[in-house]
């Protein structure tokens, strides 16, 4: 068989592509650097030392085992060097990653990898060992002139980037799980504040969300600054503040509705949180802006404000103005904490007060709708059915409430 020395291969089309231009550099950084533009992906692996990268204005710790992946939209510089950073930098064009990504990912996964992942992962154990071996192989190939050297650098660069994508993508899942845990805590917080007249015990609330009582108590404290018991008391007080705006409701009636053991106990708890008695609050604050932002989390302050003014025509813009925040920030905080829009949260709070009025007064459904701030009876009926799975009339009958006069 005749030997053929020259073969036509894909290299004839690929040899001049910039994707083949990969740089592997060992470096030691002992002082901060300046920010500079970079067109290529720059991956840093920290072999030793301690410092800090500033990426798009956010600090990222750099220490042994840190693997950075900085795309062209990641503007960065090294802001602090506490101990000389020994690192390896691998630079390549993003087209290399795009060209070689054969695996089909879930929808939007690639966009998440580029825009939603954090620019650094911290490696330990087997992941750290595997990455360091890759880094050493890259350095060795970079400094050699062996056959297939460039291909080996390409393969190992792709492997390094693929590992970063794996670790960073899994980190998104971990963060989402963390956000879900926080959301569970806020679900309980919302229930406690809205149902202060029939609040579940800590054990009942913990059982409902699958936590131990100690864990739930800790998560509530982390989320809003109050323990479970303090939150129950706080919820009763802000419900009382809202109800005190209705002059036809007596202090004794409000105390009973919120299930205080006695009027004296109601006065004591109210004064503890508001610095005044219910009667003083009614005389000095009703008709004025009686809301005073405390040291609680901003989400809890939003909840307090909505509870106080649920019967008014309040909007998301009102919250933004009151708290000197951008409307987008208000929207983001409410969505993150309560998992719903401002309008949905306001509707739920109004329905919770409507339930109290339906159960405890003989006012007509239309009167209750108006008292609770609904713009029309049809809107009230729609929100009530959505949250309670029954009509206001059915709810009043099931709860043994008085017939409307």
């Amino acid at each position: 068989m005749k030997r053929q020395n020259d073969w036509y291969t894909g290299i004839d089309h690929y040899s001049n592509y910039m994707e083949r231009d990969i740089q592997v550099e060992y470096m030691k950084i002992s002082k901060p650097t300046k920010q500079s533009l970079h067109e290529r992906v720059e991956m840093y692996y920290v072999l030793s030392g301690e410092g800090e990268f500033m990426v798009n204005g956010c600090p990222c710790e750099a220490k042994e085992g840190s693997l950075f992946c900085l795309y062209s939209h990641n503007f960065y510089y090294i802001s602090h060097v506490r101990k000389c950073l020994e690192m390896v930098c691998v630079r390549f064009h993003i087209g290399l990653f795009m060209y070689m990504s054969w695996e089909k990912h879930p929808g939007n996964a690639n966009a998440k990898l580029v825009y939603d992942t954090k620019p650094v992962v911290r490696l330990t154990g087997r992941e750290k060992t595997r990455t360091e071996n890759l880094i050493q192989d890259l350095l060795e190939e970079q400094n050699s002139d062996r056959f297939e050297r460039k291909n080996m650098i390409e393969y190992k660069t792709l492997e390094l980037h693929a590992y970063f994508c794996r670790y960073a993508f899994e980190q998104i899942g971990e963060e989402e799980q963390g956000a879900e845990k926080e959301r569970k805590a806020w679900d309980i917080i919302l229930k406690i504040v809205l149902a202060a007249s029939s609040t579940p015990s800590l054990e009942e609330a913990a059982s409902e969300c699958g936590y131990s009582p100690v864990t739930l108590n800790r998560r509530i404290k982390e989320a809003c600054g109050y323990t479970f018991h303090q939150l129950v008391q706080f919820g009763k007080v802000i419900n009382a503040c809202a109800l005190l705006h209705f002059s036809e409701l007596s202090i004794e009636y409000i105390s009973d509705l919120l299930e205080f053991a006695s009027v004296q106990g109601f006065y004591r708890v109210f004064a503890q949180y508001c610095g005044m008695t219910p009667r003083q609050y009614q005389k000095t604050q009703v008709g004025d802006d009686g809301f005073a932002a405390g040291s609680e989390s901003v989400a809890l302050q939003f909840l307090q404000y909505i509870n106080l003014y649920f019967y008014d025509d309040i909007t998301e813009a009102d919250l933004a103005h009151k708290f000197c925040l951008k409307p987008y920030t208000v929207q983001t905080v409410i969505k993150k904490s309560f998992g719903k829009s401002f309008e949905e949260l306001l509707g739920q709070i109004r329905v919770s007060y409507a339930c109290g009025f339906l159960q405890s007064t003989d006012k007509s459904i239309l009167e209750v709708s108006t008292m609770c701030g609904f713009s029309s009876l049809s809107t009230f009926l729609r929100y009530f059915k959505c949250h309670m799975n029954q009509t206001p009339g059915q709810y009043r009958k099931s709860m043994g409430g008085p017939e409307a006069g």
Side-chain angles (χ1 to χ4, degrees):
M1 184 175 180
K2 184 177 179 180
R3 176 189 178 92
Q4 183 172 337
N5 291 324
D6 295 321
W7 292 86
Y8 178 83
T9 67
I11 199 69
D12 295 302
H13 286 287
Y14 189 52
S15 58
N16 294 322
Y17 281 21
M18 62 184 181
E19 282 78 14
R20 289 186 63 85
D21 182 18
I22 301 172
Q23 294 180 358
V24 183
E25 180 184 0
Y26 170 83
M27 58 180 64
K28 285 187 176 182
I29 304 294
S30 58
K31 58 183 180 181
T33 63
K34 293 182 179 180
Q35 180 174 293
S36 60
L37 295 176
H38 60 106
E39 293 183 357
R40 289 184 288 182
V41 180
E42 299 190 353
M43 297 189 72
Y44 289 87
Y45 181 74
V46 182
L47 297 166
S48 65
E50 292 182 11
E52 186 176 84
F53 278 59
M54 188 67 69
V55 184
N56 291 347
C58 298
C60 298
E61 187 178 23
K63 56 170 42 178
E64 183 180 343
S66 296
L67 177 62
F68 288 82
C69 184
L70 303 163
Y71 299 104
S72 57
H73 65 273
N74 294 132
F75 301 100
Y76 76 93
Y77 60 94
I78 297 175
S79 55
H80 296 91
V81 179
R82 293 183 288 274
K83 183 179 178 182
C84 182
L85 289 166
E86 183 184 11
M87 301 185 294
V88 175
C89 179
V90 183
R91 299 181 179 90
F92 61 95
H93 289 277
I94 190 65
L96 177 69
F97 159 58
M98 297 299 182
Y99 181 75
M100 296 295 290
S101 289
W102 309 120
E103 182 178 346
K104 183 174 177 61
H105 292 144
N108 301 321
N110 286 339
K112 276 190 172 185
L113 287 170
V114 175
Y115 297 108
D116 294 348
T117 57
K118 289 186 177 180
V120 60
V121 292
R122 179 78 192 284
L123 306 180
T124 58
R126 185 181 177 188
E127 296 171 352
K128 179 173 179 287
T129 302
R130 175 191 290 143
T131 303
E132 287 186 353
N133 288 339
L134 260 178
I135 291 295
Q136 293 302 330
D137 286 346
L138 278 164
L139 286 172
E140 183 179 325
E141 295 294 342
Q142 177 75 9
N143 297 323
S144 75
D145 57 0
R146 298 179 67 184
F147 180 69
E148 287 278 313
R149 165 183 169 271
K150 287 191 175 181
N151 278 340
M152 293 300 290
I153 291 175
E154 284 184 47
Y155 301 151
K156 292 184 181 298
T157 298
L158 284 168
E159 188 177 0
L160 180 66
H161 185 261
Y163 277 127
F164 175 86
C165 290
R166 170 182 288 177
Y167 303 145
F169 198 76
E170 289 172 348
Q171 186 171 275
I172 292 178
E174 292 170 0
E175 290 171 354
E176 289 174 347
Q177 289 176 9
E180 183 60 29
K181 289 180 179 178
E182 184 178 354
R183 178 73 56 76
K184 278 187 178 181
W186 277 105
D187 283 344
I188 294 296
I189 291 169
L190 185 58
K191 286 181 180 179
I192 292 170
V193 172
L194 296 189
S197 61
S198 55
T199 308
S201 67
L202 175 58
E203 289 71 19
E204 290 170 337
S207 176
E208 180 181 340
C209 62
Y211 293 138
S212 69
V214 172
T215 299
L216 178 61
N217 199 41
R218 186 182 72 250
R219 291 200 180 282
I220 290 175
K221 176 74 173 177
E222 290 170 350
C224 70
Y226 285 135
T227 64
F228 180 86
H229 176 70
Q230 290 170 331
L231 183 65
V232 169
Q233 301 288 68
F234 174 78
K236 288 180 181 292
V237 167
I238 65 172
N239 274 266
C241 288
L243 294 171
L244 286 167
H245 284 254
F246 297 91
S247 58
E248 65 268 35
L249 303 180
S250 69
I251 300 291
E252 292 75 15
Y253 172 82
I254 294 173
S255 174
D256 288 343
L257 180 64
L258 299 178
E259 296 185 346
F260 281 95
S262 65
V263 173
Q264 291 77 13
F266 172 42
Y267 267 69
R268 185 179 65 255
V269 173
F270 193 94
Q272 179 184 344
Y273 281 85
C274 296
M276 63 183 77
T277 68
R279 186 67 68 193
Q280 289 170 330
Y281 177 89
Q282 205 166 39
K283 287 181 179 180
T284 60
Q285 303 298 338
V286 173
D288 298 322
D289 186 358
F291 175 82
S295 60
E296 309 87 25
S297 72
V298 67
L300 195 58
Q301 291 181 42
F302 289 171
L303 191 57
Q304 180 182 2
Y305 185 88
I306 297 171
N307 269 273
L308 286 179
Y309 301 107
F310 70 93
Y311 51 84
D312 282 342
D313 186 22
I314 59 174
T315 66
E316 203 168 64
D318 294 330
L319 259 73
H321 177 74
K322 173 64 184 178
F323 291 91
C324 301
L325 296 171
K326 293 181 179 180
Y328 172 77
T329 303
V330 174
Q331 183 182 43
T332 301
V333 169
I334 291 177
K335 188 69 175 177
K336 180 182 177 183
S337 297
F338 304 108
K340 57 192 71 183
S341 67
F342 168 81
E343 290 76 15
E344 291 169 333
L345 180 61
L346 175 60
Q348 184 176 354
I349 290 172
R350 284 172 168 170
V351 166
S352 73
Y353 282 103
C355 287
F357 291 135
L358 289 167
Q359 183 179 352
S360 307
T361 73
D362 61 358
K363 294 183 180 297
S364 70
I365 291 174
L366 179 59
E367 287 177 307
V368 171
S369 170
T370 303
M371 288 174 64
C372 293
F374 286 99
S375 58
S376 67
L377 180 59
S378 61
T379 302
F380 172 50
L381 295 175
R382 185 176 72 254
Y383 269 94
F384 199 95
K385 186 71 178 291
C386 175
H387 289 288
M388 304 303 296
N389 293 316
Q390 55 187 327
T391 66
Q394 289 170 335
Y395 175 83
R396 171 174 267 167
K397 186 175 181 180
S398 69
M399 299 301 293
E403 293 294 329

